[in-house]
Amino acid sequence: MLVALLSLGLLQVAKTTLLLEAASAPRQHRMVFDNVVLVIGVQPCDRWLCFTLTTGNGQRSRLRRLKNGVPQGSVLAPVLFNIYISDLPTTISRKYAYADDLAIMHADGDWQVVEGALTKDIATLRKYLQTWKLKLSTTKTVSAVFHLNNKKAKRELKVNFNNKTLPFCSEPKYLGVTLDRSLTYRRHLESLCKKLTSRVALLRRLAGSGWGAGATMLRTATLALVHSTAEYYAPVWCRSAHTRLIDPTINDTLRTVT
């Protein structure tokens, strides 16, 4: 049995920054969205959003209508985008999405069946994306396969899009986690170990014996720099045999702050 994953990168055809520059309020770097009024038309051909913009000094623009995509930069943008693509078409493969990070996955014992299913599904999604003014970023879209058959460890998945084969990646990164063929997460934990080591070195400089930050400050810095990084997606890789790679670094962190 092999599991194939196709990570899709989506782009909005119409950039929201053009509307920001056209707003009547003065343009400032700290411009934020104050009020977002979501209106989704009943008719399939009438999908649009209305919103206003507010600057740091309280000036408000007039109501704007965004016909393509969703406002970028607001705290509601991921939620609005999920609503925007909530009617994704039915596909053979299972779909997984977090905001604009979309992935489809199909499992089967035959390579050709998997390749055919993914090729058909991406063609279906292509029509949907064109309808709602979204574009598939071919540079960010990669295919990957997960299995335990060492004889076919170097076999690449061939998924076609617009008569071109999408790039294959043996160790794709999805939502910040590096995956590998047998899901050992070794590459991810090696990268995590390097990141934690550099942050622990920073904590040592803060924890001088005759000077430096106090216990409260060290605890806050540890939670912010080390703990948050170490526990990111920990439920996914915590049962890996390679977790021993980061154990010494975490123990070193505890000795530094105690």
Side-chain angles (χ1 to χ4, degrees):
M1 177 66 69
L2 60 106
V3 179
L5 177 71
L6 187 63
S7 179
L8 309 178
L10 303 182
L11 296 175
Q12 295 187 22
V13 177
K15 294 297 183 180
T16 313
T17 50
L18 298 178
L19 290 178
L20 292 179
E21 294 180 358
S24 59
R27 287 173 286 175
Q28 295 185 7
H29 293 291
R30 300 187 62 180
M31 181 179 291
V32 296
F33 293 98
D34 182 50
N35 296 325
V36 179
V37 182
L38 175 63
V39 183
I40 299 181
V42 178
Q43 299 297 328
C45 60
D46 186 21
R47 178 179 300 193
W48 43 270
L49 301 174
C50 289
F51 63 93
T52 60
L53 306 177
T54 302
T55 60
N57 57 7
Q59 291 182 302
R60 180 174 298 180
S61 70
R62 60 187 177 86
L63 190 66
R64 307 292 299 182
R65 177 179 292 187
L66 179 62
K67 296 182 179 180
N68 296 323
V70 298
Q72 298 182 15
S74 69
V75 295
L76 291 178
V79 178
L80 295 179
F81 192 83
N82 288 335
I83 298 175
Y84 191 78
I85 63 171
S86 61
D87 58 343
L88 282 170
T90 303
T91 57
I92 303 173
S93 309
R94 300 185 64 177
K95 298 185 291 291
Y96 300 89
Y98 180 80
D100 60 345
D101 290 321
L102 178 64
I104 57 177
M105 186 180 68
H106 189 74
D108 197 278
D110 192 334
W111 284 78
Q112 294 182 351
V113 173
V114 172
E115 291 170 347
L118 292 178
T119 300
K120 183 177 180 180
D121 289 342
I122 198 172
T124 302
L125 292 174
R126 175 174 172 267
K127 296 179 181 178
Y128 172 86
L129 297 177
Q130 287 179 341
T131 302
W132 297 121
K133 308 300 182 182
L134 295 171
K135 182 180 179 181
L136 184 67
S137 176
T138 55
T139 58
K140 297 181 179 180
T141 302
V142 297
S143 62
V145 65
F146 310 102
H147 61 87
L148 299 176
N149 189 351
N150 294 328
K151 294 182 179 180
K152 296 185 177 181
K154 296 184 179 181
R155 193 190 191 289
E156 296 185 358
L157 202 65
K158 297 180 180 179
V159 181
N160 297 324
F161 176 73
N162 280 347
N163 297 323
K164 294 182 180 180
T165 302
L166 291 174
F168 176 82
C169 183
S170 59
E171 295 179 344
K173 179 177 286 188
Y174 185 66
L175 296 179
V177 179
T178 304
L179 308 173
D180 56 84
R181 177 179 61 86
S182 53
L183 296 180
T184 61
Y185 300 102
R186 178 176 180 176
R187 188 71 63 186
H188 176 75
L189 291 172
E190 288 177 347
S191 176
L192 179 60
C193 181
K194 294 179 181 178
K195 185 181 296 185
L196 291 176
T197 301
S198 62
R199 300 192 176 198
V200 172
L202 179 61
L203 286 177
R204 290 200 194 98
R205 291 176 173 82
L206 294 176
S209 57
W211 64 277
T216 302
M217 180 61 70
L218 285 177
R219 182 179 182 276
T220 303
T222 302
L223 291 176
L225 297 176
V226 180
H227 184 267
S228 60
T229 304
E231 72 168 0
Y232 179 74
Y233 265 83
V236 175
W237 50 259
C238 65
R239 294 183 180 273
S240 171
H242 301 286
T243 52
R244 54 182 172 80
L245 294 173
I246 64 173
D247 287 342
T249 307
I250 294 178
N251 292 334
D252 192 12
T253 304
L254 297 177
R255 287 192 294 268
T256 302
V257 300
T258 56

